[in-house]
Amino acid sequence: MLTKKGAATRQRIIDAAAAEIRERGVGTTTLDDIGRRSGTGKSQLFHYFPDGKEQLLLAVAQREADRVLDDQQPHLGRLTSWAAWRRWREAVVERYRRQGVHCPLGVLITEIGRHSQAAQAVTAQLLGQWQRQVQAGIEHMQEVGQVSRHLDAERTAGALIAAIQGGVTILMSTGSAEHLESALDLCLDYLRTARPA
């Protein structure tokens, strides 16, 4: 169990690692870079992350995964009207526009996720939580008669999350949020047209 000071130091290291990755990419970020930015020495880094860089990267991935959902609140938890869905859509687009081409979570998923079961678990947990909240919004809209009850809420929520992630990947490659916006808009248009007859 970490002391309050220890927890703050550990968090400072994670924040510094996330900032370095955002600016330089995971491949060129070293423990020395992170130590310099966080004001910690190698012994402190290994005290909090005894397994080294990969363990630290996973901590960054978890931090970024938590932020993905936090940045969408309160909108994600209140998808109870078309206006609420629109506000959520704007929050998602704004988050990724602000982030730009450097996405610590995206980089970690693509660079270490293929080789690390722990990174895959972080990703699966994030996507599962995200999908369940979107699904809850779809189910609410079905209950109030705004979306057809014949629509498979779970599959539709999964497709919506996949569309967002595809748009984010293109944004990371091109710097443009156009595909992300198009994907989100098409999914929301699909929901709107899936109304009861």
Side-chain angles (χ1 to χ4, degrees):
M1 187 78 161
L2 292 175
T3 64
K4 191 172 181 180
K5 183 179 177 183
T9 301
R10 185 179 187 276
Q11 189 59 53
R12 193 168 76 246
I13 294 168
I14 294 170
D15 291 343
E20 286 291 326
I21 291 166
R22 190 175 285 115
E23 291 174 11
R24 303 158 56 93
V26 72
T28 57
T29 295
T30 67
L31 290 178
D32 288 333
D33 297 325
I34 296 165
R36 227 179 348 268
R37 189 168 199 137
S38 62
T40 54
K42 276 260 180 80
S43 61
Q44 280 181 298
L45 289 173
F46 281 102
H47 171 74
Y48 294 106
F49 302 98
D51 294 334
K53 187 176 178 182
E54 184 166 332
Q55 185 182 13
L56 174 54
L57 293 179
L58 290 173
V60 172
Q62 186 63 62
R63 169 196 184 265
E64 293 299 315
D66 294 340
R67 285 186 62 195
V68 165
L69 297 180
D70 290 346
D71 286 352
Q72 296 175 52
Q73 297 299 354
H75 313 295
L76 180 59
R78 299 179 185 168
L79 297 173
T80 57
S81 68
W82 292 122
W85 280 87
R86 185 73 186 173
R87 287 190 294 272
W88 171 69
R89 180 253 189 227
E90 295 301 323
V92 169
V93 172
E94 177 56 29
R95 180 204 195 277
Y96 287 108
R97 265 209 198 108
R98 215 174 42 241
Q99 177 180 278
V101 298
H102 301 294
C103 173
L105 180 63
V107 171
L108 292 169
I109 289 168
T110 56
E111 293 195 29
I112 68 169
R114 292 183 300 244
H115 311 292
S116 165
Q117 288 184 338
Q120 291 169 3
V122 168
T123 305
Q125 180 184 21
L126 163 66
L127 296 178
Q129 290 175 329
W130 197 355
Q131 181 174 333
R132 283 189 294 277
Q133 292 196 54
V134 171
Q135 180 180 338
I138 294 170
E139 289 169 349
H140 175 84
M141 297 298 278
Q142 289 174 315
E143 288 167 14
V144 298
Q146 292 295 303
V147 171
S148 171
R149 289 184 180 271
H150 298 296
L151 189 75
D152 186 325
E154 182 179 2
R155 289 189 69 210
T156 304
L160 221 166
I161 300 305
I164 292 170
Q165 287 306 297
V168 170
T169 300
I170 294 171
L171 187 154
M172 288 171 61
S173 301
T174 66
S176 170
E178 185 177 339
H179 292 87
L180 171 61
E181 294 192 69
S182 296
L184 260 171
D185 290 342
L186 279 171
C187 287
L188 295 183
D189 286 347
Y190 173 72
L191 275 181
R192 284 191 196 94
T193 57
R195 294 185 183 186

